[in-house]
Amino acid sequence: MQPPPQDRPPAGPTTTGPLRVLVVDDDPTVAEVVAGYLERGGYTVDRAEDGPGALERAAAFRPDLVVLDLMLPGMDGLEVCRRLRATGPVPVIMLTARGDEDDRILGLEVGADDYVTKPFSPRELVLRVESVLRRSHAARAPEGVATLAAAGLWVDPAARRATRNGAELALTLREFDLLTFLLRHPGQAFGREELMREVWGWEFGDLSTVTVHVRRLRGKVEDDPARPRLIQTVWGLGYRLDVPAADATDATDATNPTDSTARRPPAPHDLRDPQGDPVPPSRAEG
C-alpha cells in the first residue's frame, strides 16, 4: 500500500554507494533491456510497469534518476513526472514513441530533464543517464560562488535562486543553468551545439531541445517574449545575451536588485519566426 504523501520520504539519494535508477515502462522487453544495460553500467535498478506503481516504487526506492515512459497504463508519464517533481528534485528522462515537438515541450514543462524517442539505442540511453546525473550533481554549486547580476536579473548559483526585478523566477534545472551560463558570458554568441555541450554536458542530442529551453527561458525573463531584448538569436549560429555594458559583471555578494531591466532600442523590424525569433530582413522580404 502506497503511503500518504505527507509520510513519504522525499525523492533522491540518501546513502552512498551505486546510484539508483528507476525504469518505468509497461513493455517488459524494453524495461528488461534498459535495466540490463544500466546494471552493466554500474547502477542499481528497480522497475515499475504503470503510473501508480512508479510512484510507489519511487517512494520506497528513492532513485537518483527515473527513466519514465510517456505512455503508461493507469496514469501517463506526464502526470507521474508532475507528482515526482512535487516530492523532490529527482531527475527524469522521458521515453516517448512520439517525435512531435509538442510532446517534447510537454515533458520539459512538467520537469523532465531529457527525453529519448523510441526506438533508441540502449547505450545512448545510458550515456544520457550519465549526462543528466553529472549535471544534476554539478548543480550543487560550492559555497562562495559569485552571484550574477545584470539587466534586472540576479542569480545565486550556490543557492540555486534567480530573480527578475526582485521577483523570484520559477526556473527548471536546465533553465537555471542556461541563464547562469549566459549571464557569465554577456555579449558572446554561442551555437546550439556549444550550448548543449557547455551548459548541459551533452556531446549529442536533438538541437530543438536547446530551442525549447531558450523559448521557455525567454518567457520568464523577457518583458515581451515575442520581441526578445535580452536573449537574442544570432542567425546561422545560435543565441547571445545582450545586456547594458555597465551591468554585464559578476558581483560577489551582490544584493538582489529591484531596479527595472534596462531598455535597448527596438528591433528594426517586427516579423517573428515560430520560435518568437526575429526574421532576418532577407527572409522578411520574401
Side-chain angles (χ1 to χ4, degrees):
M1 179 176 180
Q2 187 176 354
Q6 64 270 21
D7 295 333
R8 294 179 206 156
T14 57
T15 62
T16 59
L19 295 175
R20 298 181 295 279
V21 179
L22 175 62
V23 176
V24 185
D25 199 305
D26 62 332
D27 185 328
T29 301
V30 172
E32 182 177 355
V33 170
V34 169
Y37 270 82
L38 288 169
E39 287 169 348
R40 287 194 290 274
Y43 298 98
T44 299
V45 180
D46 197 2
R47 289 160 56 177
E49 299 178 352
D50 55 32
L55 296 177
E56 183 175 352
R57 293 309 307 149
F61 184 57
R62 302 187 67 181
D64 297 283
L65 181 141
V66 178
V67 176
L68 179 63
D69 190 25
L70 177 63
M71 303 300 293
L72 292 171
M75 181 188 302
D76 66 26
L78 294 175
E79 182 60 26
V80 172
C81 188
R82 289 190 187 96
R83 298 195 185 191
L84 287 173
R85 285 303 194 190
T87 65
V90 58
V92 174
I93 295 179
M94 195 79 75
L95 300 180
T96 172
R98 306 172 183 174
D100 295 341
E101 184 181 22
D102 287 346
D103 292 313
R104 298 197 296 268
I105 292 173
L106 281 174
L108 295 171
E109 284 180 341
V110 299
D113 296 276
D114 197 3
Y115 68 90
V116 176
T117 302
K118 296 179 180 180
F120 58 86
S121 162
R123 285 177 290 183
E124 176 185 347
L125 178 59
V126 173
L127 290 175
R128 295 289 188 100
V129 168
E130 293 173 353
S131 175
V132 170
L133 284 171
R134 183 169 60 249
R135 296 303 304 174
S136 177
H137 286 231
R140 301 163 188 160
E143 294 183 5
V145 174
T147 56
L148 306 166
L153 298 170
W154 178 87
V155 169
D156 183 345
R160 303 291 294 179
R161 290 186 60 228
T163 65
R164 176 176 180 268
N165 298 331
E168 195 86 15
L169 290 172
L171 302 178
T172 66
L173 184 147
R174 296 202 181 282
E175 291 166 358
F176 184 93
D177 288 342
L178 178 60
L179 177 60
T180 301
F181 181 82
L182 293 175
L183 280 172
R184 283 182 173 144
H185 303 89
Q188 297 184 37
F190 296 95
R192 290 172 175 82
E193 297 95 336
E194 193 173 8
L195 288 172
M196 288 178 63
R197 182 177 62 254
E198 297 297 328
V199 180
W200 303 310
W202 296 351
E203 295 296 337
F204 54 87
D206 187 345
L207 295 182
S208 66
T209 302
V210 178
T211 304
V212 171
H213 284 297
V214 168
R215 184 190 307 164
R216 288 187 50 76
L217 184 58
R218 279 174 170 162
K220 297 177 181 181
V221 304
E222 300 279 2
D223 289 329
D224 182 358
R227 302 173 185 272
R229 296 178 181 274
L230 295 175
I231 304 176
Q232 296 293 323
T233 297
V234 181
W235 291 100
L237 180 61
Y239 301 98
R240 179 187 69 238
L241 178 69
D242 283 353
V243 298
D247 286 344
T249 57
D250 289 8
T252 304
D253 298 327
T255 56
N256 191 339
T258 57
D259 58 308
S260 297
T261 302
R263 298 288 187 266
R264 297 190 303 107
H269 51 78
D270 295 328
L271 293 180
R272 305 277 150 176
D273 74 1
Q275 274 73 43
D277 295 326
V279 176
S282 60
R283 289 172 56 188
E285 294 169 2

